[in-house]
Structure formats: structure tokens, C-alpha cells
Amino acid sequence: MTYRDHFFKYLAQTSSFPLALEIEKAEGIYMYGTDGREYIDMISGISVSAVGHRHPDVVAAMKEQLDHHLHLMVYGELIQPPQTNLACLLTGHLPATLNNVYLVNSGSEAIEGALKLAKRYTRRTEVVAFKDAYHGSSHGALSITGREAIKQSFRPLLPDIRHIVFNDPGMLDQITKRTACVVAETIQGEAGAVVPGKNFMQALRQRCYDTGALLILDEIQAGMGRTGELWAFSHFGIEPDILTLAKGFGGGMPLGAFIASREMMRCLSERPVLGHITTFGGNALCSAAATATLQTIIGKRLWENAVRQEKTIRKHLIHNDILKIRGKGLLLAVEFDSADRCKKIIDRCLEGGLLTDWFLFADHCMRIAPPLTITSEEVEKACAVILQAVEDVAG
Ligand code: PMP
């Protein structure tokens, strides 16, 4: 029996068409297969490896932490330097009101925590979210996800959820004094890198102020420098009441966070006490990795490289069959005329040594979300593989 056989036999599958590459090692923007092949990672494990695979500073921080301790106690009881270091660094680079960090394990959990916090703080129940938004696979996160097809088999989900059209200011009057919170991806990821208008985002912010609904911005995919600002909300001149992070946050380790004001967050620790608890949230090793990741992103101003490389990509990826490149920074969607063409191009890219995929809610779009450390030479090399694949499929 091979690893491949065991993968299909013993590991639960998420679809009948997994990529099923056998990977032995990963470094920088490259993954190395057991067959000796090298793959350019153009998707960073879905916007995770922001500073590349096994960034030396992340590896060093983890090794250092290994010599101190691993798990000690459930989140919130003991003072653990990796957690406090991370919270200090993070809040130092966020707006003044986002000054209290709750560490969890994943994006879905960050969303669950944020939803509970908003309901508890406002004492309201309705949640407004957007069509085509993706917020995670747990019950609460799935409830606010904006695609019926992946939800219907799991109903009943959370009650009192209202979905409105993203980037349509005409729908904002559906946010009312009944609304506990509005949850939005600052830039929609799985919808295919959809960037809203500045006017819409500012009107959304204002409507939340006017009605007392809390604005939760999900930057699980768009944060950490990926879209050309450290935080995507900076593009729009707004600030959320609650921010959620995960994916690139942990530098390749599982970590999430929801961040709010100290005053707001306090309500999770009283009436009832322990209103939100997690065993592994803020795991010491993950927090050490996250701190090194954030230090690298800030130290090297990697969001500026995201802008530079977006320009290189837009300059090189020109072909009759490429209808449009959506998105911002290094969260881009290359749009084709059909899902069929997109899938064939993705397969050709893989044969050419480049890993990419489509979007959950936009299967005619190819994902471009490489590590933010990618160089111009590497981008040019990647674009050559993609263009060849587009040409091969066209011919
Ligand atoms: N929100 C957004 C915007 C995401 O892209 C994702 C994951 N694709 C999630 C939430 C859920 O994160 P996780 O898979 O870590 O639960």
C-alpha cells in the first residue's frame, strides 16, 4: 500500500476530485513532490502562507518556543508570553478601538466568537450578512455564508439571519435597530475576489452607526497585507467594531482571532462567566509563529510587495481568453468564460509545475494568491506557466 492508497482509504474526503499531489517538503513559494517535481504555490494553502512556506523567522520562533512549553492550560487562565507578545504587537498596529484580542484556532471559530460577542453585547438577535460571502463550515459560520447550495442539506441552521446583496447601497435599509451585527468580508474571497466600492463600505459603516448594529469585518482571507494594505478596511477609510483573522495570521500554524474593544469583550467574561471558552485557542506554538509572521509582514512592508506584484501580474497575464482579473493586491481572480475552461487551465498549470485552483463560489475564476514574499522574477516565471496553460487549452 502507498501513501496515496492510504490517503483515499483512511482519510475522510471533502470531494471526489482532490488534487492528491504527494508533497514532501515546502519552502518559500515552492512545494516539492515525492516524485521529485517542484511546484510554484500560487495559492498559499488558500491565503495561508503569507510569508512563504517555512519562513526562517517563523521556524526559529517555533523552535525557541519548543524549548519553553507547548500547551499549558485552556485559553484565558495562565499568562503565556507568546500570547501576550502577539496581542501587544497586533493591537499596536490596529485602530485604537480594536484593543482586545480573543485567540481561537481557526477562521470559523473566530466568526463564531464574533457572532456570540455581538449578540451578547447588543442583546439583539438578527444578523445581516451578504450573498456569496463565505465565513466557514461550522453551524454558525455556515448560517451566515451566502450560498444556499452548500447550506440546504444542513438545515435547520441559525435563525434570524438576513442575506443582502453585497456592494448594493440600496439594500442597507434592511439593517435596522433589530440588527445585532452585520458581517462582511472586507473584500469577498470565495465569491471570486470581489472588491466593493468605497462609497458602499462607507455607507455600510454609517448605517451600522445609525442603527447601533455592530460591524464585523471578516479579514480571514483579505487581512495580513494580502490586498495591498496591512488591513483591507484601510482601503475604504472605515474601521470595524469587531475584526476576525485566521489563515495567514498563524504563518502556517492554526490560529484565529476576533478583536474588539476591551469594554465590549468584557461581556464574554460575565453573566455568564466563561461565556466563550476554548481549550487550544492561542496555542503557544501557534502564537509564537503568528508573532514572527506579523513581525515579518510589518518589517518588510509586504503589503507593498503585494501591490508591486499585482502590477506585474496584470502586465503579464494578457490573453484573449482572460476576460478580466478581479481583486486587489495578491488576492486575484483570473476570469474565464466557463468553469470547464478554468478547470482545464488549472490542470495544465499543475502539469506545468504550478499549483492553483478555482473559487468556491466562482468556479470560472482561477485563484492567484501566492505568498506575499514572491519576487518579480518568480511572478514572471509563474505567469509564463499560466499563459502557456491558457494557450494550450485555447488551441
Ligand atoms: N472567512 C473567510 C473569508 C474565509 O475565506 C474562510 C476560509 N476559506 C473562513 C472564514 C473560514 O476559515 P476556516 O477554514 O479556518 O474555518
Side-chain angles (χ1 to χ4, degrees):
M1 291 283 258
T2 63
Y3 285 127
R4 191 181 171 81
D5 296 330
H6 291 166
F7 170 79
F8 283 105
K9 188 165 180 195
Y10 296 119
L11 285 169
Q13 300 293 307
T14 56
S15 78
S16 55
F17 43 86
L19 285 164
L21 287 179
E22 209 172 299
I23 299 297
E24 188 167 48
K25 194 175 162 152
E27 195 98 50
I29 66 151
Y30 292 101
M31 287 190 189
Y32 301 94
T34 45
D35 57 0
R37 290 202 65 192
E38 161 183 305
Y39 298 92
I40 298 173
D41 180 2
M42 257 340 236
I43 49 178
S44 309
I46 313 297
S47 304
V48 169
S49 315
V51 294
H53 294 278
R54 298 184 72 253
H55 189 284
D57 292 355
V58 175
V59 172
M62 289 176 67
K63 284 189 173 158
E64 157 96 26
Q65 184 54 40
L66 279 176
D67 288 335
H68 286 81
H69 61 80
L70 296 179
H71 177 82
L72 295 177
M73 178 54 179
V74 298
Y75 174 80
E77 296 294 335
L78 300 184
I79 300 166
Q80 303 186 36
Q83 295 181 348
T84 51
N85 287 343
L86 175 59
C88 282
L89 181 67
L90 192 55
T91 52
H93 288 85
L94 279 166
T97 51
L98 295 175
N99 57 17
N100 210 243
V101 182
Y102 196 122
L103 295 169
V104 291
N105 304 282
S106 68
S108 298
E109 279 182 71
I111 291 289
E112 298 293 338
L115 287 175
K116 280 176 69 184
L117 176 59
K119 286 165 84 174
R120 169 67 181 82
Y121 185 74
T122 61
R123 294 291 189 193
R124 301 178 185 177
T125 55
E126 184 189 62
V127 178
V128 172
F130 291 94
K131 297 205 193 300
D132 286 351
Y134 182 77
H135 295 292
S137 218
S138 56
H139 267 85
L142 189 61
S143 302
I144 58 166
T145 287
R147 260 293 164 109
E148 191 51 32
I150 63 163
K151 296 163 64 160
Q152 59 199 14
S153 301
F154 304 103
R155 289 195 181 281
L157 292 170
L158 278 186
D160 221 358
I161 311 282
R162 184 190 291 266
H163 280 96
I164 61 176
V165 175
F166 193 53
N167 205 18
D168 180 353
M171 304 228 75
L172 295 178
D173 59 0
Q174 300 210 27
I175 301 164
T176 68
K177 292 200 158 83
R178 278 199 65 240
T179 310
C181 59
V182 180
V183 191
E185 291 175 80
T186 315
I187 291 177
Q188 285 192 332
E190 295 311 313
V194 176
V195 185
K198 190 168 182 178
N199 287 347
F200 171 76
M201 290 304 266
Q202 293 197 342
L204 169 63
R205 177 63 276 188
Q206 192 55 48
R207 183 71 186 168
C208 289
Y209 283 140
D210 293 346
T211 54
L214 299 180
L215 178 60
I216 300 176
L217 289 181
D218 176 345
E219 298 213 1
I220 287 164
Q221 192 152 178
M224 303 296 290
R226 178 153 298 281
T227 67
E229 290 276 3
L230 181 55
W231 312 116
F233 57 74
S234 305
H235 292 298
F236 306 101
I238 61 166
E239 293 173 3
D241 299 301
I242 305 176
L243 177 70
T244 60
L245 299 177
K247 287 193 177 276
F249 182 48
M253 294 295 284
L255 191 69
F258 57 102
I259 304 161
S261 72
R262 204 166 295 121
E263 182 242 339
M264 198 183 292
M265 206 68 100
R266 193 179 305 126
C267 72
L268 286 181
S269 62
E270 51 196 29
R271 287 172 288 123
V273 292
L274 308 174
H276 194 72
I277 47 179
T278 161
T279 300
F280 287 122
N283 172 272
L285 206 54
C286 302
S287 294
T291 305
T293 301
L294 192 54
Q295 276 166 341
T296 305
I297 291 174
I298 293 166
K300 295 193 181 326
R301 301 178 68 83
L302 286 181
W303 56 90
E304 293 179 358
N305 193 49
V307 175
R308 259 195 308 278
Q309 301 315 333
E310 176 191 3
K311 287 199 184 109
T312 317
I313 289 166
R314 287 187 185 276
K315 190 172 110 195
H316 283 85
L317 279 193
I318 294 172
H319 190 281
N320 268 346
D321 288 349
I322 296 177
L323 304 185
K324 206 199 286 175
I325 299 182
R326 293 145 53 156
K328 218 167 171 57
L330 289 176
L331 180 54
L332 299 175
V334 181
E335 191 175 341
F336 299 104
D337 62 352
S338 69
D340 182 54
R341 180 186 301 278
C342 185
K343 289 202 171 91
K344 284 185 180 143
I345 291 169
I346 289 166
D347 289 347
R348 288 298 290 185
C349 282
L350 207 54
E351 287 164 28
L354 181 143
L355 179 63
T356 177
D357 74 342
W358 60 92
F359 291 86
L360 207 50
F361 303 149
D363 57 7
H364 64 302
C365 293
M366 189 179 87
R367 189 187 306 263
I368 306 266
L372 308 182
T373 47
I374 196 166
T375 63
S376 301
E377 294 72 39
E378 288 168 337
V379 164
E380 283 170 25
K381 186 171 156 188
C383 287
V385 177
I386 295 169
L387 278 181
Q388 186 62 53
V390 175
E391 189 54 34
D392 287 351
V393 172

